[in-house]
Amino acid sequence: MRVLITGGAGFIGSHLVDHLRARGDEVVVLDSFVPTYDLRRKEENVRASGLSEGAVGPARLVRGDLRDRALLDRLLPHVDAVVHLAALAGVRDSLDDPAAYVDVNIVGTQTLLDAMHAAGLRRLVFASSSSVYGARPDGDTFTEDDPADRPVSPYAATKRAGELLCHAAHAAWGLDVSCLRFFTVYGPRQRPAMAIARFTSLVLAGETLPLFGDGSSLRDYTFVGDAVRGIACALDRPQGFAVINLGCGSPIRLDDLVAAIGRAADRRVRVEHLPEQPGDVPRTHADISRAGALLDWRPQVALDEGLAAYLAWVRARDGV
Ligand SMILES: NC(=O)c1ccc[n+]([C@@H]2O[C@H](COP(=O)([O-])OP(=O)(O)OC[C@H]3O[C@@H](n4cnc5c(N)ncnc54)[C@H](O)[C@@H]3O)[C@@H](O)[C@H]2O)c1
C-alpha cells in the first residue's frame, strides 16, 4: 500500500513511518515542520526513519502545509490511503491561540477531505483524541457512542469538529474513515511538552516536579508502538465510518505515574503540588472493546515496560 502520512515528521507519525516501512508499505510524509517544539527533534525523526526528499522512492518527505490544496492535488494521485496526523496538538497551548488550532485542525482537515474527494481517494485514518470526551463523572469508562459535545479546551473542540467533518465526507462522498481517539500516547520521540517527557527530564536532572492538582487525576496511557499498530490495523480494515478508542483501558493516577518514572530512572522524586490547569480533564478511561472487535487490536505494552523503553531512548540520546 502507498500511504500519505500528514504530520509524519512528528512523534506518532515518525513511528508510523517505521512501522509501515517494516511491513513493506511505501510512505509519503507531508509535514510543515511547524515550530511547536525544537525542530531538531523533527529533523532527527525523519533521519531516523530514513525519509528522503527526492521525487521518487519508497519513503519520501515533502515539506509543505496541509492547507496547501494545490500541493495535496499533486500528492494524492500517487497514494492509496491517507493517515491524517498533522495538527496543532496539546490542550494547554490551544488556550493561548485557539484560532491557530481552528485553522490547522479544522480548515486543514476539510482541505484534505476536499482534495481526497477530488482525487477519488477513499481511505482515511484520522487522528482524534480522548480529549473530545470532556470532563466526565467518576467511574465511567469512555465509550465511543457517549456524547462528546462538551469539550473543555479549544484543542478538544477542533478534534471533535474533525470527526464530524470526516463523517460528513463519508455521508456525502462515501469516504471510508476511521477516527482513532488516542489516549495519551507516550514513548521515544514524544513531544517534550507532554507530562512523561517533562517529568523524566526533571527527575534525571534531580529537580522538583511541578504536579498540577493533588496527584489523583487519572490518565489512560498508550505506548506509541501500540498506537501505530492500531493505525495500521485501521488502514487494513476499512469500516465505512467508525470512531474507535485506542487506549490501555486501565487508568493510572498521576502520583503513581510519577513514582513509576522514579523507579524506571532509579532516582528519588520530589514533587510540588500546583493548582489544576484550565483545559485539563480530571480523568480519561478508555473502553477498548470496539478496537478489539473491529480491529482485533489490544494494547501489548504495560506502563513499566513502556517507561523503560522511553528512559533507554532518553539516555541514549542525551547520554544521561
Ligand atoms: N501524542 C498524543 O498523546 C496524542 C493524543 C491524542 C491525539 N493525538 C493526535 O495525534 C496526532 C499526532 O500527534 P503527535 O503527538 O505526534 O504530535 P506532533 O506535534 O509530534 O506531530 C504533529 C505533526 O504535524 C505537523 N503539522 C502541524 N501543522 C501542520 C500543517 N499545517 N501542515 C503539515 N504538517 C503540520 C507538525 O510539524 C508535526 O510534525 C495529532 O493529530 C494529535 O492531535 C496525539
Side-chain angles (χ1 to χ4, degrees):
M1 203 186 311
R2 294 164 304 170
V3 184
L4 176 72
I5 306 173
T6 73
F11 162 45
I12 298 175
S14 63
H15 283 279
L16 181 65
V17 170
D18 296 347
H19 186 88
L20 294 183
R21 291 289 300 129
R23 65 180 213 169
D25 293 321
E26 295 188 10
V27 300
V28 179
V29 161
L30 171 63
D31 200 298
S32 62
F33 290 75
V34 60
T36 41
Y37 53 89
D38 187 347
L39 284 179
R40 284 172 298 187
R41 300 282 296 274
K42 295 183 191 183
E43 298 292 351
E44 275 170 28
N45 292 347
V46 300
R47 263 200 309 281
S49 297
L51 293 170
S52 67
E53 298 193 49
V56 288
R60 289 180 57 202
L61 168 65
V62 177
R63 293 176 194 261
D65 199 289
L66 168 69
R67 294 159 293 177
D68 180 345
R69 173 62 192 271
L71 176 58
L72 290 176
D73 288 344
R74 289 200 297 281
L75 297 177
L76 290 177
H78 304 289
V79 299
D80 307 303
V82 178
V83 178
H84 177 31
L85 302 171
L88 295 183
V91 162
R92 289 182 196 147
D93 289 345
S94 75
L95 292 158
D96 296 333
D97 194 357
Y101 275 67
V102 167
D103 198 24
V104 173
N105 297 2
I106 301 181
V107 176
T109 298
Q110 188 59 51
T111 307
L112 175 65
L113 293 168
D114 292 349
M116 287 185 68
H117 173 51
L121 193 61
R122 296 170 66 91
R123 196 175 299 190
L124 174 65
V125 177
F126 170 64
S128 186
S129 160
S130 61
S131 62
V132 303
Y133 288 106
R136 298 280 306 273
D138 280 354
D140 281 8
T141 53
F142 299 7
T143 64
E144 294 88 343
D145 294 330
D146 291 345
D149 54 3
R150 293 285 184 270
V152 296
S153 68
Y155 168 70
T158 64
K159 285 289 162 181
R160 181 65 181 136
E163 292 182 350
L164 297 174
L165 294 171
C166 286
H167 186 269
H170 163 71
W173 304 324
L175 260 69
D176 193 301
V177 193
S178 292
C179 299
L180 303 180
R181 290 180 177 167
F182 297 123
F183 282 67
T184 316
V185 183
Y186 73 98
R189 306 179 193 162
Q190 80 176 92
R191 283 186 276 120
M194 297 182 75
I196 289 178
R198 280 188 296 114
F199 292 165
T200 302
S201 312
L202 292 169
V203 166
L204 290 174
E207 290 177 25
T208 300
L209 272 56
L211 280 201
F212 297 117
D214 65 0
S216 67
S217 61
L218 291 165
R219 284 287 176 281
D220 207 305
Y221 294 99
T222 315
F223 188 65
V224 66
D226 283 331
V228 298
R229 199 169 37 79
I231 296 172
C233 291
L235 270 176
D236 294 344
R237 293 173 177 76
Q239 305 289 334
F241 177 84
V243 175
I244 303 171
N245 289 339
L246 288 188
C248 75
S250 7
I252 312 280
R253 280 177 59 109
L254 184 60
D255 43 17
D256 290 338
L257 171 75
V258 165
I261 292 173
R263 278 197 306 279
D266 197 19
R267 299 282 172 92
R268 267 176 60 94
V269 178
R270 287 191 315 272
V271 302
E272 177 193 7
H273 290 280
L274 298 174
E276 298 281 4
Q277 290 288 291
D280 279 354
V281 295
R283 49 187 289 278
T284 62
H285 186 175
D287 176 337
I288 53 172
S289 51
R290 185 177 288 177
L294 296 184
L295 304 181
D296 196 22
W297 177 91
R298 274 157 213 83
Q300 293 176 348
V301 179
L303 183 70
D304 282 335
E305 193 186 340
L307 288 177
Y310 179 63
L311 257 298
W313 175 80
V314 171
R315 289 196 148 119
R317 193 196 59 190
D318 298 343
V320 283

